[in-house]
Amino acid sequence: METDLDIRIDRDTRVSLTKQISSAISTAIRAGRLSPGARLPSWHDLAVQLGVSRGTVRMAYDILCDQQLITAHGAAGTHVASHTLATLHKGEHNGYHDGDHNAERIGDKPLEEVYPGWPVKPGVFQVGVPAQDVFPFKTWSRIMGRAARTAAARQLGYPDPRGELELRSEISAYLAIARGIDCTPAQVFITSGFAGALGVALRALQMEGKCAWMEEPGFSTTRETLIQSGVTPVPVAVDAEGLDVTSGWTTAPQAKLAIVTAGQQAPLGVTLSLRRRHALLDWAERSDSWIIEDDYLGELQLQGRAAPALASLDRNGRVLHIGTFSKTIAPSLRIGFLVVPNELVARMENAVTTYASAPAPSVQLAVAEFMHRGHYLRHLRRMKRVYADRRTTLGVCLGELSIPYIEAGLAVLIRLPEGVRDTDIAVQARTVGLSPSALSWWYAQPKPGYDGLLLGVTNLPTEHVAGYCKRLTGLWSQ
């Protein structure tokens, strides 16, 4: 029996009808309102019910098929996949068992309760998300529709676990121009975001049981991925020149890996100096170690030309380069890419085939067309102008409030009055509609005096900056 769907169409929003339909069905499946095996209405019936074209519904279904949430069986109809997340939430894969009544069901809790301070939707002052008001949604929607149709026509065969050739070719061409990296499409692997790229790289390099230098402060996801992969992260101090290579030598001379955000350090925003770059490359060569470059903000440097990637200086094949489209298009795409030296291509092919195939082809093809037609570079140029203006406006407002700050990439860092904990303020800020990040969250070993707030500038309309700043400072000046 077919399932009735409660889908509300909003024709006044910039979100495409295809996206509204696929998102509504996806939400119902993930929330368990649509059971595994439930039959969905036909394209024609749902189109009539919603007052949209059959092609729109078909594209929405194609997206859900690519996400492996539904399956199409021709005349037998379209059904919710039998292995959807709804079944996972019943217990066997969430760290508890149905018989353990004392275990807390983390999978049923909102993400912000599991990870304090994590806003589900992009918020004011949030770091790590692109602006929501400058993205070309209409262009992207048209491209997504074409990509879904192209992917549907290819679905009879298995997708390439390395990623679609179209996207790998566009990325290699882009990296040559924007990041100074000379690579071929064969060296590029499409992954499920940054964590997916890091995880498969660690497997291919056989890092289990070894030590890795990691920036302090640094990205917590990097730290957790290392730990879950059996790698011991060793905090190495960051100063005005970036990762302190000499300190790394002293602290963990046995390390076989270093992970760095060379272009714009996460979260402090400093660029790894040329002297340190050469020292790091020399360390990798002399100690037979590897470097993973997390190109955290890519070329989104707001002053001058972005520094070339560390991988552009690598002459001995020791650097693996990771990038994503999370900061430039949307985190929800879950598309990252990994560029490896020629000597590692065969090993990486085995790793992705076995452990981590590329994301859905439809999304990959959409990103490829977005890049090929020039939309991506135009969007980057526009974002840099907008972000620079917003960061300047935020600096002016903070100055008027006599609050010292440091520019930190796409954020500014402010210190708090003595005795005020940054974690407390970050959590309290959620209650007044703000989403700053506590600096101490970025440290593996937080120490007194290391706290502060990171204020992201990407989703910060200039006309409201002054009001947001006063609202934030009111949390500790009451």
Side-chain angles (χ1 to χ4, degrees):
M1 182 175 180
E2 290 188 354
T3 302
D4 290 330
L5 298 175
D6 182 19
I7 301 175
R8 302 180 185 277
I9 294 295
D10 183 355
R11 299 183 183 278
D12 295 326
T13 183
R14 290 188 293 180
V15 179
S16 69
L17 297 179
T18 297
K19 181 64 175 177
Q20 290 183 52
I21 296 168
S22 63
S23 294
I25 297 174
S26 173
T27 298
I29 294 172
R30 295 174 190 276
R33 295 196 300 274
L34 286 178
S35 303
R39 182 171 179 173
L40 299 179
S42 67
W43 303 339
H44 176 76
D45 290 345
L46 187 56
V48 171
Q49 178 184 334
L50 299 178
V52 300
S53 70
R54 283 182 292 176
T56 297
V57 176
R58 177 179 178 177
M59 284 189 290
Y61 278 15
D62 286 342
I63 291 172
L64 294 167
C65 281
D66 287 337
Q67 295 173 349
Q68 299 182 19
L69 293 177
I70 66 174
T71 55
H73 300 286
T78 302
H79 298 77
V80 176
S82 59
H83 58 276
T84 61
L85 292 181
T87 62
L88 299 184
H89 286 174
K90 291 180 180 178
E92 66 263 48
H93 298 299
N94 271 330
Y96 62 86
H97 300 282
D98 287 338
D100 184 358
H101 299 292
N102 295 320
E104 188 169 18
R105 298 197 170 197
I106 293 177
D108 295 335
K109 297 177 67 176
L111 189 59
E112 63 269 26
E113 292 183 23
V114 179
Y115 298 100
W118 185 309
V120 175
K121 296 181 179 180
V124 175
F125 294 139
Q126 184 180 349
V127 299
V129 290
Q132 302 296 295
D133 58 343
V134 296
F135 187 72
F137 284 104
K138 290 183 178 179
T139 299
W140 177 253
S141 296
R142 289 194 296 269
I143 290 174
M144 275 292 291
R146 287 194 292 269
R149 291 191 292 272
T150 301
R154 299 181 180 181
Q155 68 182 1
L156 293 178
Y158 287 102
D160 191 329
R162 299 169 299 178
E164 299 300 305
L165 179 60
E166 292 93 331
L167 180 55
R168 291 188 286 124
S169 298
E170 291 297 332
I171 289 173
S172 65
Y174 165 76
L175 291 175
I177 297 171
R179 311 300 295 127
I181 301 175
D182 183 14
C183 64
T184 66
Q187 295 172 257
V188 180
F189 295 82
I190 309 303
T191 65
S192 181
F194 166 74
L198 178 57
V200 75
L202 294 174
R203 283 186 177 274
L205 294 176
Q206 299 177 333
M207 281 292 140
E208 186 174 2
K210 299 175 183 177
C211 294
W213 294 355
M214 183 177 163
E215 296 166 327
E216 177 78 341
F219 190 31
S220 60
T221 296
T222 300
R223 190 178 302 114
E224 286 301 315
T225 303
L226 287 171
I227 293 171
Q228 293 183 28
S229 299
V231 183
T232 302
V234 178
V236 177
V238 170
D239 59 22
E241 290 188 75
L243 181 80
D244 187 340
V245 180
T246 301
S247 176
W249 270 108
T250 303
T251 304
Q254 79 282 17
K256 304 305 292 181
L257 175 68
I259 303 180
V260 293
T261 49
Q264 298 185 72
Q265 200 274 334
L268 301 180
V270 299
T271 298
L272 189 66
S273 68
L274 184 61
R275 181 171 69 92
R276 293 272 178 86
R277 290 175 183 232
H278 285 300
L280 188 59
L281 291 168
D282 181 60
W283 163 80
E285 177 64 17
R286 288 168 57 189
S287 63
D288 191 27
S289 299
W290 300 96
I291 301 167
I292 292 181
E293 177 181 23
D294 172 8
D295 206 21
Y296 172 56
L297 292 176
E299 68 162 348
L300 282 176
Q301 187 166 307
L302 302 188
Q303 293 176 328
R305 182 173 175 81
L310 175 64
S312 68
L313 298 176
D314 182 23
R315 298 294 177 266
N316 297 303
R318 309 310 301 178
V319 180
L320 291 77
H321 179 92
I322 296 177
T324 78
F325 296 96
S326 297
K327 312 297 185 299
T328 53
I329 299 180
S332 59
L333 291 181
R334 306 308 303 146
I335 287 191
F337 54 88
L338 173 64
V339 184
V340 304
N342 276 314
E343 294 76 10
L344 288 179
V345 168
R347 196 189 305 183
M348 197 60 61
E349 287 176 343
N350 290 334
V352 298
T353 301
T354 306
Y355 299 112
S357 295
S362 61
V363 181
Q364 292 186 59
L365 294 173
V367 175
E369 182 178 342
F370 194 66
M371 299 178 76
H372 183 72
R373 293 181 178 272
H375 301 303
Y376 185 65
L377 287 177
R378 284 193 292 273
H379 180 53
L380 287 179
R381 288 194 294 268
R382 184 185 181 194
M383 282 200 299
K384 285 195 276 191
R385 291 194 301 269
V386 171
Y387 292 166
D389 183 44
R390 291 177 178 179
R391 191 174 70 177
T392 298
T393 303
L394 177 58
V396 171
C397 290
L398 293 173
E400 292 174 349
L401 294 170
S402 301
I403 299 176
Y405 69 92
I406 300 172
E407 293 181 346
L410 300 185
V412 301
L413 172 62
I414 64 173
R415 298 294 181 179
L416 298 175
E418 186 175 354
V420 178
R421 296 181 58 186
D422 58 356
T423 54
D424 292 341
I425 295 299
V427 173
Q428 292 175 31
R430 302 296 187 272
T431 66
V432 294
L434 306 177
S435 303
S437 176
L439 181 61
S440 57
W441 285 338
W442 295 74
Y443 281 90
Q445 302 169 344
K447 299 177 181 178
Y450 281 25
D451 56 352
L453 288 180
L454 287 161
L455 310 181
V457 303
T458 56
N459 288 284
L460 192 64
T462 54
E463 64 271 21
H464 300 304
V465 173
Y468 291 139
C469 288
K470 291 178 181 178
R471 191 187 307 175
L472 181 66
T473 57
L475 296 175
W476 65 79
S477 59
Q478 297 173 346

